[in-house]
Amino acid sequence: MAKIIPFKAVRPTRDKVSLVASRPYQSYTPAERESRLDHNPYSFLHIVNPGYKYQKEITGTERYKLVRNRYLEFKEDEIFIQDQKPTYYVYKIINREEEEFLGIIAAASAEDYENNCIKKHEDTLKDREETFKEYLKTVGFNAEPVLLTYPDNPVIKEILLQVSKERAEYEFTTTYRDTHYLWKIDDQELIQTLQKEFEAMDCIYIADGHHRSSSSCLLAKDLKAESSNHTGKEAYNFFMSYLIPESDLKIYEFNRLIKDLNGLGKEEFLIQLDEWYRIENRGQEYYKPSKPHHFSMYLDGEFYSLYLRKTKYNFENALDELDAQLLYETVLEPILGIKDLRTDTRIAYSDGKKDIAYVKSEVDSGAFTVGFGLFPASTSQLKKIADQNLVMPPKSTFIAPKLRSGVTIYEF
């Protein structure tokens, strides 16, 4: 039973939302960040990069406190307002590829995360969890929803479609050419219907945001222990999420780039690879895998197709069938000597939206020696891995949609 509740969002005024909304801080180049900070005083980047005001790089607890200060200044200047009633927020994104996503921004239960009613498919790093938990505890808000996905539901779909026919509270297009829409649902009858539909679900799944959700769960535990009047209804018991149906989820691959062949010559490497794969030289033909367990490889100016020898590899669980795991088990670890995918500096990742041409350009530049193209995982694979309590390797999936920060803010 999933507990998904409305909340009172802090959000930009309608006239400023397009100026406030920003991509995640790290997704900008330094030049892009500098331009936005120089020319847009309303950008949410001013909140998450408070040192800009002093032309100084500030880190750690000092930065967290200044983030809190900048946030309060945005509220004092009435750039941000807060809704007076708990609300569900219907949110639609149409990206530049004309893919459409329609879902609900709401508060999900940290207890559901702890009890595996909200299921995970990726591992998290303890240091990163603790760091973000301390950040949340200091700043007192979260501005980027966790992406959750739920089984397609006709009742929820009909409500979302009906609400989205009305005039949107927000409608804006970004320089990235994504168009965003937001509608409010504060009608009690509709709220109760939506809550009941979510409560009837056995579980929902994290699509993107494992560290944000795990950090929120740690924060709930800390604040519960510090409170003498804990009731379970406090805002810290929940975290902001964007929930979309499984059929709307778009999953792209992460391709792999490797700096060297682990001391092997080209021919020796291909011979070792031949043990696991049927190899075909495609020459200059751009090759992209068209089904699971097929890979593309770019090496020394040529493309290769790799087809797994299925008699060689045993599929014992859902993780074994994931191509990111398969490539690790057959190539990256035994042949190229890459044991820890999280820390080895010889491997880099490129999301599938950059396509195989990006892999080629990186290898041709000399920055990398070989690149591998993967077939994207499916939603059913993601769910099976989560259901079996297994964990994907890092950078197994690049999942859309990607939301803007600062459009809805959750305070606790």
Side-chain angles (χ1 to χ4, degrees):
M1 185 176 80
K3 190 172 186 180
I4 305 296
I5 66 171
F7 69 102
K8 300 175 184 178
V10 174
R11 52 190 183 82
T13 55
R14 182 185 291 176
D15 62 317
K16 294 184 177 65
V17 63
S18 63
L19 298 169
V20 171
S22 71
R23 302 200 312 270
Y25 182 81
Q26 296 298 335
S27 70
Y28 293 97
T29 65
E32 287 174 331
R33 285 198 296 267
E34 193 74 16
S35 174
R36 281 159 175 78
L37 290 165
D38 282 345
H39 302 294
N40 179 5
Y42 300 111
S43 173
F44 194 74
L45 293 175
H46 283 283
I47 293 177
V48 295
N49 184 31
Y52 172 80
K53 182 176 181 178
Y54 304 105
Q55 295 299 302
K56 179 182 177 183
E57 188 71 27
I58 301 173
T59 60
T61 303
E62 184 181 15
R63 172 177 167 262
Y64 305 164
K65 290 178 180 178
L66 289 178
V67 168
R68 176 70 178 171
N69 291 346
R70 294 293 87 76
Y71 172 67
L72 292 176
E73 287 169 10
F74 269 52
K75 291 183 72 177
E76 290 163 2
D77 292 341
E78 296 184 344
I79 298 166
F80 287 146
I81 57 174
Q82 184 166 26
D83 288 313
Q84 298 303 303
K85 295 169 61 178
T87 301
Y88 283 125
Y89 302 88
V90 177
Y91 201 93
K92 181 167 77 172
I93 305 171
I94 302 176
N95 66 19
R96 58 183 175 181
E97 289 86 13
E98 298 187 354
E99 296 169 331
E100 183 173 313
F101 307 93
L102 182 64
I104 300 175
I105 295 178
S109 167
E111 185 178 16
D112 283 350
Y113 176 91
E114 186 73 13
N115 295 336
N116 209 33
C117 180
I118 296 176
K119 295 197 172 186
K120 316 94 176 162
H121 65 267
E122 286 186 5
D123 204 356
T124 51
L125 300 175
K126 185 171 179 58
D127 287 349
R128 190 172 165 191
E129 286 177 340
E130 290 288 341
T131 297
F132 193 59
K133 180 200 74 175
E134 292 303 318
Y135 170 83
L136 293 175
K137 184 180 286 190
T138 303
V139 302
F141 69 87
N142 193 359
E144 188 177 351
V146 172
L147 181 62
L148 302 178
T149 186
Y150 59 87
D152 285 39
N153 180 293
V155 175
I156 295 177
K157 181 178 181 180
E158 182 60 27
I159 291 175
L160 298 190
L161 289 174
Q162 287 301 318
V163 171
S164 63
K165 290 178 181 178
E166 301 170 4
R167 180 178 184 265
E169 177 76 9
Y170 295 154
E171 178 180 351
F172 65 96
T173 300
T174 70
T175 55
Y176 209 60
R177 291 180 290 166
D178 296 341
T179 302
H180 299 248
Y181 305 82
L182 179 141
W183 297 264
K184 295 169 59 179
I185 299 180
D186 52 15
D187 178 272
Q188 285 303 306
E189 186 175 341
L190 288 180
I191 285 176
Q192 288 175 12
T193 300
L194 288 169
Q195 281 187 278
K196 287 178 181 177
E197 291 300 317
F198 283 116
E199 286 173 357
M201 297 176 187
D202 292 333
C203 60
I204 54 180
Y205 295 81
I206 298 175
D208 191 25
H210 284 77
H211 281 93
R212 276 171 281 145
S213 49
S214 61
S215 297
S216 296
C217 188
L218 291 176
L219 177 67
K221 289 180 180 178
D222 276 10
L223 296 182
K224 177 182 177 180
E226 294 171 9
S227 173
S228 58
N229 299 304
H230 176 81
T231 66
K233 295 182 180 180
E234 295 86 356
Y236 60 72
N237 293 293
F238 300 86
F239 56 92
M240 185 169 64
S241 301
Y242 180 48
L243 298 102
I244 64 172
E246 291 172 2
S247 60
D248 281 4
L249 200 64
K250 304 295 182 187
I251 304 179
Y252 300 88
E253 70 279 11
F254 263 108
N255 298 317
R256 272 63 173 143
L257 291 156
I258 314 299
K259 289 186 176 179
D260 60 67
L261 297 181
N262 196 29
L264 301 172
K266 174 183 173 182
E267 297 304 324
E268 188 178 3
F269 171 66
L270 290 172
I271 288 171
Q272 291 197 29
L273 202 60
D274 190 82
E275 179 181 354
W276 294 99
Y277 295 92
R278 181 161 55 89
I279 305 171
E280 293 184 15
N281 188 321
R282 302 274 179 160
Q284 297 301 307
E285 174 193 353
Y286 277 62
Y287 176 73
K288 184 177 175 69
S290 59
K291 59 182 180 179
H293 314 329
H294 287 191
F295 300 89
S296 65
M297 181 175 72
Y298 186 70
L299 173 66
D300 194 24
E302 295 179 309
F303 284 96
Y304 296 81
S305 58
L306 309 179
Y307 303 142
L308 178 68
R309 300 185 188 278
K310 294 184 180 179
T311 55
K312 176 73 176 177
Y313 189 85
N314 294 320
F315 299 113
E316 297 181 355
N317 54 46
L319 182 60
D320 288 342
E321 298 194 29
L322 183 72
D323 280 356
Q325 180 72 10
L326 177 59
L327 188 70
Y328 173 74
E329 295 284 355
T330 60
V331 182
L332 301 183
E333 197 276 334
I335 299 176
L336 295 178
I338 296 172
K339 299 186 184 301
D340 191 335
L341 294 171
R342 296 182 179 277
T343 61
D344 199 310
T345 58
R346 295 168 54 225
I347 186 170
Y349 303 91
S350 163
D351 69 76
K353 283 200 165 187
K354 292 191 177 76
D355 73 35
I356 205 68
Y358 178 81
V359 173
K360 178 181 185 301
S361 67
E362 287 294 289
V363 173
D364 286 344
S365 73
F368 298 91
T369 299
V370 61
F372 296 95
L374 282 69
F375 188 76
S378 66
T379 301
S380 62
Q381 278 186 298
L382 181 153
K383 290 176 63 180
K384 286 179 182 177
I385 289 170
D387 289 342
Q388 294 178 21
N389 295 317
L390 299 170
V391 174
M392 290 182 176
K395 301 295 185 184
S396 291
T397 56
F398 180 83
I399 294 179
K402 301 292 185 186
L403 272 70
R404 293 271 160 157
S405 296
V407 178
T408 57
I409 297 171
Y410 184 80
E411 289 190 341
F412 37 80

